[in-house]
Amino acid sequence: MRPPMRSLSILLTSALAVTLAACSSGSDDSTDEATGGAASCAPASGNVELTYTTWIPGIEDVVKLWNDKNPNIQVKVQTGPNGNGGTYANFFNQLKAGNAPDLGHIEYDALPSFRVQDGLTNLASCSEVTAAKDQFVDWTWGQVTFGEENSVYGIPQDTGPMALFYRKDLFEKNNIPVPTTWEEYAAAAEKVKTAGGYITNFSQSDISQFAGLSWQAGGRWFSNDGSKWTVNFQDDNTKKVADYWQDLISKKLVSSVPPWTTEWDNAYNKGNAWTWVSAVWGANSIMSGAPDTSGKWAVAPMPQWTAGGTSAGNWGGSSTAVFKSSKHPYEAAKFALWLNTSEEALTALNKAAQLYPATKAGATLPALTEGVEFYGGQKIYEVFATASTQVAADFAWGPTMTDTYASASDGFKAVVSGTGTLNDALKTAQEKTVATLKSQSIPVAE
Amino acid sequence: MKNVNRIGPMVVMAAATLYFLVPIWWLLVAASKSRAQFNNTTPLWFADFSLGDNLSELFAYRDGVFLRWMLNSVLYTGGAALIGTVLAAMCGYALAKYRFPGREAIFNIVLSGVLVPATALALPLFLIFSQFEATNTFWSVFLPSLVNPFGVYLARIYATASVPDELLEASRLDGSGEVRTFFTISAKLMFPALVTIFLFHFVAVWNNFLLPLIMLGNERLFPVTLGLYSWNTQVNQIPELRMFVLTGALVSIVPLVIAFLFLQRFWRNGLGSGAIK
């Protein structure tokens, strides 16, 4: 049922495409010969060209460092919107069409969905990859191996260890001690309310923050025993976190403007919100969203559930994965390792896009050990470096996170406007997630 | 009573005008502010005027990639709308003026094409282009954009109404070929319709966001809509991009405004002159 005009254009297209294909097939043949042993992660004999899709702004400059030094392995950058903004959907389309890039940027919470669709190359057979394990912060390795033996589905790139950003000036002025436990945090919230502010803004639509808070508390949402997925957003620890925030919301001790809006920036810029439990990259969000508050902020470790505890959550972070269709896993893995472990690449990534490295050594980059003027000269990244070592390694994401986030976010928005509770919302999100998994024929344990 | 009749519609129109113009006003005001003032000044009134700084920063960012996007957009949309209009005009004209077997069938198929949204075709097109390894090229966006079934429909209706058969016969008797007749006589009679088709097509291609999103991975090939969208998805991580997105959005509507202001003159002239005859 196509209109004739369209058929015409397809004809034209085909004619053109045939010519293009003819042009490119010459080079393809030579690379095909070179990759007989792709599955075993062997190096190619000739020159290799890799494609790498990522949305990191300024990545071209970083990749250029590699290309200048590695004439035999040239990397071509492709870009687009962020993962959930369209690039993940593109990856799936490309995997279907057989023209996925060699390497792709995939956030930790999206890795399982690519794994489930069998879109990733297991890099465990690349000895250089397995040897690099100890360079990475332990929990990041858990994110890319899914806790399984003999499997590595991506190279950790950046992380978002969480801490407490707080308005040092306002806390001091009002004689409120900086909370070290969640109990103290709730007590501080009452005092802040009396002083005319809100202790923080509860993120109603960005569920990944709540995930980070649950992660810290010991909540475990997904697990996979090798054949079936278990979905549980109602374990005791997650319930505890949800009840805690429900209480703050009900007592109107937190504001609830939508995150990542100018309204939200304003709440911080005008001093209506006094703290933010956020990831390391949040430092930059405050700097840019609340420019009038320069010098008034400080960073403390995340409040703990038990006094003297040492656990932190994580919010965000991504990996560099090699797609199944790549003909050059060896070279791709080599590039991904360089990109995410070498000091020059990590420095450049941090400079271009404020990425916080996933390697242990990355925490000591010069840019991450200096005092930051906006935070009164505090060496804030030291707090995050410690937090990064306190993130539990066994938190796993599910294979349909976009969907899970969307259903949880619907519920959270309702809670903020006064309907239901966070735990109700999580219950519903769990039911919907299980239904989605079943509809995609992914086995679920009841 | 007469006045009341007039006031009602005026109020409705004024409200509608306000409704449509406020977002553009907001955009203009927002794009004229510096980063620091964007958050803490009244959203609907100017602070210090720094549109110039914003523009030069935007144009300089990443080696002027934004200007490249604007150029791409003009090429994709201007080029596709121009060629697409000629194709639609020829097709519609042929359907209106020539009798041949299957004419109505072809016309009906074209009409049903109007009902298929461009978004629904993006993925099949991607898979087809993938077969020929032609994704991520200029042509992967340009070629599908040439198609405009609604334009064929409009051209046929207008050709039936405005091109008299007698005139065609006269030109045939004078020895003019069909192609020459079309370009020298019929196309001129159809001109107002062609402007309409061009404008519709221009806007449709400009707004067709999904096709380039799916097809393109090379930043240098992006149209401005996709480029700004990409930046906007990264505002969480790189908050500096917000001002670029705002200023860029303002700049990106300029070609559309120009196209409309410039072409509506032809449009009105044509319709007017047709009415007098």
Side-chain angles (χ1 to χ4, degrees):
Chain A
M1 284 300 279
R2 281 174 193 281
M5 297 289 289
R6 188 166 293 281
S7 320
L8 176 69
S9 97
I10 287 170
L11 278 179
L12 283 173
T13 312
S14 316
L16 173 90
V18 169
T19 353
L20 284 178
C23 294
S24 59
S25 63
S27 57
D28 271 358
D29 290 346
S30 60
T31 49
D32 277 343
E33 285 166 29
T35 52
S40 58
C41 197
S45 52
N47 288 348
V48 169
E49 192 180 280
L50 300 170
T51 46
Y52 170 39
T53 300
T54 175
W55 54 90
I56 303 169
I59 187 72
E60 291 85 357
D61 304 334
V62 185
V63 171
K64 193 171 177 295
L65 296 175
W66 166 272
N67 282 344
D68 288 347
K69 278 196 224 155
N70 294 275
N72 300 332
I73 308 174
Q74 289 290 298
V75 178
K76 258 177 70 182
V77 171
Q78 299 185 343
T79 186
N82 71 7
N84 288 320
T87 295
Y88 293 153
N90 282 351
F91 283 159
F92 283 120
N93 292 339
Q94 290 157 352
L95 283 167
K96 205 176 298 165
N99 55 5
D102 294 281
L103 298 122
H105 183 158
I106 303 180
E107 287 152 301
Y108 297 130
D109 55 2
L111 262 185
S113 55
F114 286 92
R115 167 78 198 287
V116 162
Q117 305 281 344
D118 198 24
L120 305 174
T121 300
N122 184 353
L123 300 173
S125 52
C126 301
S127 57
E128 292 177 37
V129 172
T130 42
K133 178 185 173 186
D134 292 335
Q135 292 189 45
F136 293 96
V137 178
D138 297 341
W139 68 267
T140 63
W141 202 251
Q143 295 282 302
V144 296
T145 58
F146 309 118
E148 292 165 28
E149 289 294 309
N150 230 343
S151 62
V152 185
Y153 287 95
I155 308 296
Q157 179 162 64
D158 68 312
T159 62
M162 295 168 81
L164 174 71
F165 292 91
Y166 67 100
R167 281 291 296 273
K168 195 170 190 222
D169 59 328
L170 294 175
F171 272 78
E172 276 170 6
K173 201 177 115 199
N174 292 283
N175 254 329
I176 307 173
V178 178
T180 58
T181 64
W182 286 109
E183 209 182 323
E184 288 173 24
Y185 189 78
E190 304 267 6
K191 290 181 192 158
V192 171
K193 187 73 192 280
T194 322
Y198 289 106
I199 184 116
T200 191
N201 182 69
F202 182 74
S203 176
Q204 48 172 300
S205 55
D206 198 335
I207 305 305
S208 29
Q209 182 190 21
F210 186 82
L213 296 170
S214 305
W215 190 337
Q216 181 211 20
R220 297 294 175 260
W221 291 5
F222 291 91
S223 59
N224 184 341
D225 64 2
S227 61
K228 279 183 174 158
W229 287 85
T230 308
V231 185
N232 188 3
F233 305 163
Q234 285 288 288
D235 61 283
D236 293 343
N237 292 320
T238 306
K239 265 190 188 159
K240 175 174 72 181
V241 178
D243 283 335
Y244 178 86
W245 287 94
Q246 181 65 50
D247 188 46
L248 293 183
I249 295 169
S250 304
K251 290 183 182 158
K252 302 208 177 339
L253 296 175
V254 291
S255 63
S256 50
V257 297
W260 321 120
T261 58
T262 48
E263 204 186 349
W264 183 84
D265 281 344
N266 244 331
Y268 283 93
N269 200 27
K270 296 227 167 97
N272 295 336
W274 289 22
T275 76
W276 189 27
V277 184
S278 180
V280 57
W281 42 263
N284 204 45
S285 311
I286 301 180
M287 253 187 261
S288 137
D292 294 354
T293 56
S294 178
K296 297 173 180 168
W297 289 87
V299 180
M302 224 174 151
Q304 299 293 319
W305 287 101
T306 49
T310 53
S311 66
N314 177 72
W315 179 4
S318 38
S319 67
T320 310
V322 179
F323 286 108
K324 192 111 192 180
S325 48
S326 172
K327 290 173 183 161
H328 305 288
Y330 173 82
E331 286 78 10
K334 207 170 161 189
F335 167 73
L337 280 175
W338 170 84
L339 183 69
N340 298 316
T341 60
S342 77
E343 192 177 332
E344 57 173 342
L346 292 178
T347 308
L349 284 173
N350 182 262
K351 191 166 159 248
Q354 284 91 35
L355 291 194
Y356 189 80
T359 58
K360 290 171 185 160
T364 57
L365 291 181
L368 297 178
T369 44
E370 287 165 3
V372 183
E373 204 184 321
F374 189 89
Y375 296 89
Q378 188 190 355
K379 294 181 176 173
I380 58 166
Y381 292 106
E382 290 179 353
V383 181
F384 292 103
T386 313
S388 180
T389 62
Q390 297 171 345
V391 175
D394 59 348
F395 187 91
W397 300 102
T400 55
M401 284 317 291
T402 320
D403 188 72
T404 301
Y405 286 148
S407 26
S409 155
D410 287 345
F412 277 28
K413 280 180 202 154
V415 172
V416 162
S417 50
T419 327
T421 65
L422 292 177
N423 272 319
D424 292 342
L426 289 169
K427 240 177 263 167
T428 314
Q430 178 177 330
E431 283 159 18
K432 283 192 184 162
T433 302
V434 170
T436 310
L437 289 175
K438 282 182 178 164
S439 74
Q440 298 188 8
S441 318
I442 299 169
V444 192
E446 295 288 345
Chain B
M1 211 41 209
K2 206 178 174 189
N3 270 344
V4 175
N5 280 345
R6 207 175 288 166
I7 288 171
M10 285 305 277
V11 169
V12 173
M13 292 304 284
T17 313
L18 198 69
Y19 178 78
F20 285 114
L21 286 184
V22 163
I24 297 174
W25 174 251
W26 179 88
L27 182 63
L28 179 69
V29 170
S32 76
K33 286 177 182 172
S34 67
R35 265 193 199 98
Q37 287 182 325
F38 174 67
N39 274 334
N40 53 15
T41 53
T42 335
L44 289 179
W45 196 248
F46 296 99
D48 297 342
F49 197 79
S50 41
L51 182 59
D53 294 342
N54 287 343
L55 286 175
S56 54
E57 256 185 77
L58 170 70
F59 294 157
Y61 184 64
R62 314 263 321 267
D63 300 330
V65 73
F66 179 80
L67 290 174
R68 174 78 193 227
W69 293 343
M70 287 297 287
L71 181 71
N72 288 342
S73 271
V74 170
L75 284 179
Y76 288 131
T77 51
L82 205 63
I83 300 176
T85 304
V86 173
L87 290 176
M90 295 200 288
C91 185
Y93 173 78
L95 287 170
K97 290 296 159 192
Y98 299 123
R99 307 199 149 271
F100 52 92
R103 181 171 81 151
E104 288 311 309
I106 290 178
F107 184 62
N108 287 335
I109 293 172
V110 173
L111 261 190
S112 65
V114 176
L115 298 176
V116 182
T119 40
L121 295 170
L123 189 56
L125 281 169
F126 172 78
L127 295 173
I128 292 170
F129 274 79
S130 295
Q131 289 286 311
F132 299 106
E133 298 183 23
T135 57
N136 200 10
T137 57
F138 174 82
W139 301 104
S140 65
V141 174
F142 187 78
L143 287 178
S145 300
L146 293 177
V147 181
N148 181 4
F150 185 64
V152 175
Y153 168 76
L154 265 185
R156 177 186 176 165
I157 301 293
Y158 205 82
T160 310
S162 69
V163 185
D165 287 337
E166 295 81 357
L167 206 57
L168 297 183
E169 264 162 46
S171 57
R172 277 181 202 130
L173 286 176
D174 287 345
S176 161
E178 295 299 327
V179 174
R180 188 175 159 200
T181 310
F182 172 74
F183 281 106
T184 54
I185 298 172
S186 310
K188 282 183 182 153
L189 289 169
M190 291 167 69
F191 197 67
L194 298 189
V195 173
T196 311
I197 295 171
F198 180 85
L199 277 178
F200 274 126
H201 199 156
F202 192 89
V203 175
V205 177
W206 190 277
N207 288 337
N208 186 0
F209 168 75
L210 200 66
L211 185 70
L213 171 69
I214 288 185
M215 288 288 186
L216 301 177
N218 180 353
E219 194 181 42
R220 308 300 290 180
L221 292 175
F222 283 7
V224 69
T225 41
L226 178 58
L228 287 177
Y229 171 77
S230 301
W231 279 356
N232 199 37
T233 62
Q234 289 154 22
V235 164
N236 289 2
Q237 225 179 347
I238 315 289
E240 292 78 14
L241 287 174
R242 178 166 285 150
M243 283 321 289
F244 293 148
V245 173
L246 285 171
T247 317
L250 181 70
V251 177
S252 77
I253 59 173
V254 170
L256 283 178
V257 173
I258 290 178
F260 266 88
L261 290 182
F262 183 68
L263 288 173
Q264 76 174 4
R265 207 163 40 116
F266 292 98
W267 202 356
R268 219 179 327 158
N269 280 350
L271 287 175
S273 58
I276 294 165
K277 277 179 214 159

